[in-house]
Amino acid sequence: MKIIAFAEQRNNQFKKTAFEVVCAAKTIADELSAELVALVVGGNVSPIAGELGKYGASRVIVVEDSRLQYYSTTAYAKVIAEVAQQESGQVIFLSASSLGKDVAPRVAAKLDAGLATDCTAIRVENGDCVATRPVYAGKGLTDVRITSPVKMFSLRPNVFSAGTPSSGAATIEKRNVPLTDADFTAAVKEVKASSGKKDVAEADIIVSGGRGLKGPEHFAMIEELASTLNAAVGASRAVVDAGWRPHDEQVGQTGKTVAPTLYIAVAISGAVQHLAGMSSSKFIVAINKDKDAPIFSIADYGIVGDAFEIVPAFSAELKKVLGK
Amino acid sequence: MKILVFVNHVPDTETKVKVSADGKTIDPAGVNYMLNPYDEIAVEEGLKLREKSSGEVVVVSLGTDANKETLRKALAMGCDKAVVLKDSSPRDSFGVARALADYAKEYSPDIILCGKQSIDYDDAQVGGLVAEMLGLPSISVVVNLDVTDGAIVAEREIEGGHEIVHSRLPAVIIAQKGLNQPRYPSLKGIMDAKRKQIEERVVSAIKPRVEVLAMKKPSAKPPGKIVGTDASAIPELVRLLHEEAKII
Ligand SMILES: Cc1cc2nc3c(=O)[nH]c(=O)nc-3n(C[C@H](O)[C@H](O)[C@H](O)COP(=O)(O)OP(=O)(O)OC[C@H]3O[C@@H](n4cnc5c(N)ncnc54)[C@H](O)[C@@H]3O)c2cc1C
Ligand SMILES: Nc1ncnc2c1ncn2[C@@H]1O[C@H](COP(=O)(O)O)[C@@H](O)[C@H]1O
């Protein structure tokens, strides 16, 4: 049996999720006594391909083409599906990152494969992969199995460990997948980076603010706390709808699903739709003046009090402790 | 322009999940349903495209008679025609996409709009599957869309920024929150929608590729610790984050 792990890169640098996927795929491959093949696609990715050896891939297939420097849904789907077919891969792992979420269904349709998206755990049972995936925004958890011959799983970012890099080495194999203009019917022409801003979907620490902050100007103290912690700024829907914050910061059922190590919720009540997006955070701190706010039901640590007093004190203490 | 929008009928966001006796699905008792929030955005975008270029907006939903309620909401917002594809047996996204793609093939739209994900199973698959089944380009998590003379320029969200994607009609556009602000149905719209016929079609069952073995509720977290009621609690909070959580 062969397992394919798609290792995502941007600008010829692996994303952390690439290591998470390779490492999780390696664990499953070992249990199934299967061979693991990692796949890297991009413009100039041979120089980095070897890194995957440290995360358990003994073979890495590289598909390089200058037109693949930027992501193209149609071209990437073709490359992944073709390599999977050439290798007769039966199980394919990728990340449920923005790229993974976009490409996975198209690859699944090409391979006639069942796809379980955004999985938070994966295990082997009777020689088959069983994945856990949250449904109803995390209010339910399902265990699923895929019945088609080719099985695909996308893994929620930040949930699986990337392990510690070993000294393992990998053999690198360049593979040519012929592409024509017709394979680029949807192509990225430009990438606009949000000016040095950390994204909630990728951050290890998030400081989120809610309507209790009374106005957009008071997010300055949230930004200060976030920058002290090297964290991303998040927001509840109430403040996004009010236009205080951009909607790419919204956490929740109709915003982003996040799973950081630390989530600090400031003046957020903790409506079910907000909890849906952040309840799988490893540690949750809530600061709210209402002791009955539902956010406290899932917080590990809470302070019942006034954010306007507590947040600046929190930043000041951290600066002292962290020597900033 | 022929505009086709996929709309799903889903439990509303306040739903308390209770697992049914089969141990695999949610207990539908007392659950209220709504037009999937992302699909409301897709409907709005369809209406805006029609206003810009004329044509018609057709909404289609796969499910049971109950889905008609959601289709009526879309009609009330201003869609021209609604179709329910009926199949009461369970389907996964692949099965849903198959039926929607078959319908789309027959209708042959210039553009297909759908939502980023259904907020029940959170699959986020149908748009990409349908596009691939039809051999069309797809652009997902779209927050800005311009369609001029068949050329598409769309902005999609990625981690830490946005991608500007170019493509051509026909295509599948997968809506993300932020694309637009959906309108409320007008009173006239609601009255008109009541009179409109909803076309019904029965589609044959298809075996799911993703089999649910079990559903459970996540284990409740033990109650957390209230560290204090004012700024004097901060040193203790920082100590806990450092020593217990080992974060700072
Ligand atoms: C279909 C649908 C989808 C939704 N999706 C989302 C989503 O994705 N994300 C999301 O967040 N919401 C979502 N919501 C909205 C959600 O229901 C809540 O309305 C929203 O989360 C509330 O935001 P909030 O906590 O900032 O505001 P509020 O509920 O108004 O809470 C403000 C909190 O601030 C506290 N406070 C006030 N002053 C202070 C102070 N000085 N110091 C400390 N605390 C203070 C108050 O005690 C209160 O708890 C959705 C709703 C629907 C219907
Ligand atoms: N049963 C359905 N009927 C019509 N459209 C659907 C159905 N299920 C999903 N969709 C569409 O596909 C999108 C993605 O859904 P999903 O892949 O189920 O998360 C939704 O936002 C809808 O636009």
Side-chain angles (χ1 to χ4, degrees):
Chain A
M1 189 194 279
K2 212 180 268 181
I3 295 183
I4 314 262
F6 173 73
E8 179 179 344
Q9 59 79 32
R10 290 250 181 203
N11 297 320
N12 307 318
Q13 294 274 299
F14 282 117
K15 308 262 288 189
K16 181 170 148 253
T17 54
F19 305 135
E20 293 170 7
V21 166
V22 170
C23 198
K26 171 70 176 159
T27 310
I28 298 296
D30 286 349
E31 278 192 57
L32 290 170
S33 312
E35 187 194 346
L36 172 65
V37 180
L39 169 62
V40 193
V41 180
N44 176 26
V45 288
S46 317
I48 57 165
E51 266 182 70
L52 298 176
K54 302 194 186 115
Y55 296 88
S58 47
R59 247 182 93 206
V60 182
I61 294 178
V62 172
V63 179
E64 243 172 8
D65 185 316
S66 59
R67 292 169 298 175
L68 296 169
Q69 173 70 23
Y70 277 164
Y71 173 62
S72 157
T73 302
T74 39
Y76 270 59
K78 178 172 180 179
V79 169
I80 297 169
E82 291 227 339
V83 171
Q85 264 164 345
Q86 287 165 7
E87 293 293 317
S88 312
Q90 282 141 290
V91 182
I92 303 170
F93 286 105
L94 27 66
S95 170
S97 60
S98 66
L99 188 157
K101 278 186 180 150
D102 186 69
V103 83
R106 297 204 66 129
V107 176
K110 281 181 191 288
L111 299 174
D112 216 354
L115 164 65
T117 50
D118 217 13
C119 303
T120 53
I122 181 120
R123 61 178 193 270
V124 172
E125 242 179 59
N126 308 321
D128 203 1
C129 295
V130 174
T132 301
R133 54 180 310 274
V135 293
Y136 295 93
K139 287 184 271 180
L141 290 175
T142 54
D143 277 349
V144 301
R145 186 175 85 85
I146 295 178
T147 57
S148 49
V150 180
K151 305 165 204 292
M152 289 180 64
F153 300 91
S154 71
L155 309 183
R156 180 174 288 185
N158 288 331
V159 171
F160 292 82
S161 155
T164 30
S166 69
S167 56
T171 54
I172 315 274
E173 238 175 273
K174 280 213 189 185
R175 184 70 58 88
N176 182 37
V177 177
L179 295 168
T180 67
D181 285 350
D183 296 315
F184 292 86
T185 51
V188 173
K189 295 291 177 197
E190 190 192 337
V191 179
K192 292 201 284 187
S194 324
S195 54
K197 198 169 99 173
K198 259 194 175 302
D199 193 282
V200 287
E202 293 198 306
D204 209 34
I205 303 182
I206 297 170
V207 185
S208 276
R211 181 152 52 194
L213 292 171
K214 311 269 185 310
E217 65 282 9
H218 296 129
F219 269 77
M221 65 184 187
I222 300 295
E223 279 168 352
E224 192 194 357
L225 179 56
S227 93
T228 310
L229 286 165
N230 200 13
V233 173
S236 71
R237 169 160 161 184
V239 311
V240 172
D241 283 356
W244 300 356
R245 300 300 298 181
H247 94 270
D248 61 7
E249 291 180 1
Q250 184 182 317
V251 172
Q253 189 157 12
T254 49
K256 291 190 174 149
T257 303
V258 299
T261 311
L262 173 61
Y263 188 90
I264 303 176
V266 182
I268 290 178
S269 58
V272 285
Q273 297 94 346
H274 189 81
L275 302 186
M278 44 66 75
S279 57
S280 51
S281 306
K282 288 182 194 78
F283 282 93
I284 297 169
V285 170
I287 298 168
N288 195 303
K289 69 176 186 190
D290 172 10
K291 69 171 184 7
D292 297 319
I295 191 75
F296 287 120
S297 69
I298 63 156
D300 298 276
Y301 307 119
I303 298 184
V304 181
D306 184 3
F308 293 94
E309 181 205 341
I310 292 159
V311 174
F314 196 1
S315 296
E317 177 73 14
L318 284 168
K319 281 183 187 154
K320 207 169 76 193
V321 174
L322 300 169
K324 284 200 180 170
Chain B
M1 182 139 96
K2 290 167 82 177
I3 302 158
L4 183 61
V5 187
F6 298 154
V7 294
N8 201 2
H9 185 62
V10 296
D12 84 12
T13 56
E14 297 283 344
T15 303
K16 301 244 184 310
V17 166
K18 210 178 137 228
V19 180
S20 335
D22 70 1
K24 295 179 183 183
T25 52
I26 71 159
D27 183 348
V31 174
N32 293 316
Y33 286 78
M34 69 191 285
L35 166 59
N36 189 42
Y38 297 106
D39 305 355
E40 194 177 356
I41 297 167
V43 167
E44 175 64 33
E45 202 61 20
L47 296 172
K48 282 172 61 185
L49 285 171
R50 184 189 63 189
E51 282 154 15
K52 196 176 141 191
S53 71
S54 82
E56 63 167 6
V57 181
V58 175
V59 274
V60 52
S61 189
L62 179 128
T64 62
D65 272 329
N67 293 47
K68 288 182 178 169
E69 182 192 332
T70 273
L71 288 167
R72 290 240 184 262
K73 162 100 192 265
L75 288 172
M77 287 172 73
C79 294
D80 300 283
K81 191 182 149 192
V83 182
V84 60
L85 304 178
K86 285 170 73 166
D87 174 24
S88 53
S89 50
R91 279 187 185 236
D92 61 2
S93 286
F94 210 101
V96 171
R98 184 83 279 155
L100 293 173
D102 288 345
Y103 180 82
K105 200 174 235 160
E106 181 189 318
Y107 177 63
S108 172
D110 297 299
I111 190 164
I112 296 176
L113 291 153
C114 70
K116 167 178 97 153
Q117 74 192 53
S118 303
I119 61 158
D120 50 6
Y121 280 84
D122 295 326
D123 268 348
Q125 295 195 29
V126 164
L129 287 169
V130 167
E132 188 61 44
M133 287 168 181
L134 297 172
L136 296 179
S138 57
I139 311 176
S140 66
V141 288
V142 171
V143 293
N144 236 312
L145 179 69
D146 179 72
V147 181
T148 308
D149 299 330
I152 300 172
V153 179
E155 188 169 336
R156 64 183 295 267
E157 266 183 3
I158 58 166
E159 296 90 355
H162 292 94
E163 286 176 340
I164 311 296
V165 184
H166 289 206
S167 192
R168 286 206 67 79
L169 293 179
V172 178
I173 299 293
I174 303 166
Q176 162 72 322
K177 181 168 185 273
L179 178 58
N180 57 45
Q181 191 56 51
R183 68 194 66 189
Y184 290 105
S186 64
L187 197 58
K188 180 174 179 308
I190 295 169
M191 299 312 287
D192 287 351
K194 284 200 177 126
R195 281 192 296 270
K196 281 189 192 156
Q197 276 288 327
I198 293 177
E199 185 186 329
E200 290 187 27
R201 297 195 179 193
V202 176
V203 290
S204 46
I206 173 168
K207 188 174 165 281
R209 288 169 163 70
V210 179
E211 182 192 351
V212 176
L213 303 170
M215 181 187 283
K216 55 179 191 291
K217 302 231 313 177
S219 39
K221 245 183 143 160
K225 189 184 274 179
I226 298 297
V227 189
T229 55
D230 55 28
S232 67
I234 289 292
E236 173 66 359
L237 176 64
V238 172
R239 187 192 68 78
L240 288 168
L241 290 174
H242 178 66
E243 287 173 15
E244 276 189 11
K246 299 191 171 45
I247 301 165
I248 301 169

